[in-house]
């Protein structure tokens, strides 16, 4: 399986795609990942390259990916303008990916640990959900609900999910992301995965959080 990630630093910090490759390979799934990412980039900026027929953007999509994963900035839900911008950009990118016969999924990103525009980490999770659940229904795109996995983990793991800037994830947070990707994409338990950068004791609860969200459909704030 060839997977292309389109996004920003929420994808490339700790190189989540390569972590997913390692973990999947250890569980017997061969995948190859690539990224089109730039720090702070919105999906609208990626979409602008497609609209302008940007050669690099188009050639990247035309490499024959099986799956394209779209990741948006953290404040995409904070204003109606941002929400509309995300919706319009997503429609452009989904259409472009489908023209190459790729499946598309939304990476519903983790919250900021330090809070964002007055919203706590816990409050950001359902607001991200509201935006992308609606978009997923409109565009017939599945979601990888990393935000829900973080909502599960925050009460017990807390700020250890983020790095020093309290915005980007730590290695523990990145591992939770990769576990949620694996369980969602392959429909298999994340407990099949190696601990990778963590100890088995650190990894196990994160694997279980990923399973609860991806395989059991848990929405933490509704349970």
């Amino acid at each position: 399986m060839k997977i292309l990630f389109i996004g920003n630093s929420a994808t490339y910090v700790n190189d989540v795609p390569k972590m997913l490759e390692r973990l999947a390979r250890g569980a017997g799934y061969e995948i190859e990942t690539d990224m089109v990412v730039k720090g702070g980039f919105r999906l609208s900026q990626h979409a602008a390259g497609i609209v302008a027929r940007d050669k690099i953007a188009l050639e990247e999509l035309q490499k024959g990916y099986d799956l394209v994963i779209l990741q948006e900035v953290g404040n995409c839900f904070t204003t109606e303008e941002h929400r509309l911008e995300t919706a319009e950009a997503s429609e452009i990118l989904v259409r472009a990916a489908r023209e190459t016969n790729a499946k598309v999924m939304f990476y519903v990103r983790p919250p900021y640990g330090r809070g964002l525009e007055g919203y706590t980490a816990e409050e950001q999770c359902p607001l991200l959900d509201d935006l992308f659940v609606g978009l997923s229904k409109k565009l017939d795109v599945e979601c990888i609900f990393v935000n829900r996995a973080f909502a599960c983990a925050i009460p017990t793991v807390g700020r250890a999910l983020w790095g020093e800037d309290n915005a980007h994830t730590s290695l523990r947070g990145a591992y939770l992301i990769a576990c949620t990707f694996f369980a969602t994409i392959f429909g298999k338990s994340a407990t099949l995965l190696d601990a990778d950068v963590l100890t088995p004791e650190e990894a196990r609860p994160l694997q279980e959080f990923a399973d609860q969200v991806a395989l059991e459909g848990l929405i933490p704030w509704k349970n």
Side-chain angles (χ1 to χ4, degrees):
M1 177 184 287
K2 293 180 65 177
I3 303 174
L4 176 65
F5 287 80
I6 297 177
N8 55 46
S9 57
T11 291
Y12 70 68
V13 167
N14 295 314
D15 203 347
V16 170
K18 289 301 178 187
M19 182 183 288
L20 176 61
E21 272 191 31
R22 291 196 305 272
L23 292 171
R25 189 175 301 116
Y29 294 84
E30 287 296 327
I31 66 171
E32 177 185 331
T33 62
D34 284 317
M35 293 185 281
V36 176
V37 292
K38 190 170 183 178
F41 248 47
R42 295 178 175 275
L43 287 181
S44 59
Q45 291 169 284
H46 288 294
I50 298 293
V51 171
R53 312 306 289 174
D54 180 89
K55 187 175 181 219
I56 294 173
L58 289 168
E59 284 182 350
E60 198 63 44
L61 276 176
Q62 289 165 357
K63 287 181 179 177
Y65 292 98
D66 302 293
L67 174 62
V68 175
I69 295 177
L70 305 178
Q71 175 258 307
E72 182 60 293
V73 295
N75 70 347
C76 55
F77 62 85
T78 57
T79 68
E80 186 60 24
E81 181 182 359
H82 288 335
R83 295 169 70 90
L84 288 172
E85 183 181 318
T86 296
E88 291 169 0
S90 296
E91 189 168 353
I92 292 167
L93 291 165
V94 167
R95 187 186 314 119
R98 284 180 172 154
E99 285 175 0
T100 68
N101 296 315
K103 180 179 179 179
V104 187
M105 300 181 82
F106 286 124
Y107 161 19
V108 189
R109 58 168 296 144
Y112 279 57
R114 64 169 183 241
L116 176 68
E117 299 186 22
Y119 297 101
T120 67
E122 292 85 349
E123 290 169 337
Q124 292 168 55
C125 293
L127 291 169
L128 287 162
D129 222 66
D130 289 343
L131 174 57
F132 284 99
V133 167
L135 283 178
S136 70
K137 291 177 180 176
K138 178 181 178 182
L139 300 175
D140 193 23
V141 170
E142 294 179 40
C143 290
I144 302 170
F145 288 110
V146 170
N147 62 322
R148 295 180 183 178
F150 268 67
C152 289
I154 287 170
T156 55
V157 184
R159 295 300 176 253
L161 293 166
W162 291 277
E164 291 183 2
D165 66 1
N166 235 354
H168 296 98
T169 58
S170 63
L171 284 172
R172 191 175 296 192
Y175 183 82
L176 177 56
I177 296 170
C179 286
T180 309
F181 282 154
F182 175 84
T184 305
I185 292 169
F186 295 106
K188 300 293 183 181
S189 174
T191 60
L192 297 172
L193 303 177
D194 297 332
D196 196 57
V197 293
L198 306 181
T199 66
E201 293 74 23
E202 291 171 329
R204 186 67 183 203
L206 302 178
Q207 295 167 347
E208 292 173 351
F209 292 140
D211 282 359
Q212 289 169 5
V213 167
L215 304 182
E216 299 171 23
L218 176 67
I219 304 174
W221 47 89
K222 292 186 177 179
N223 291 275

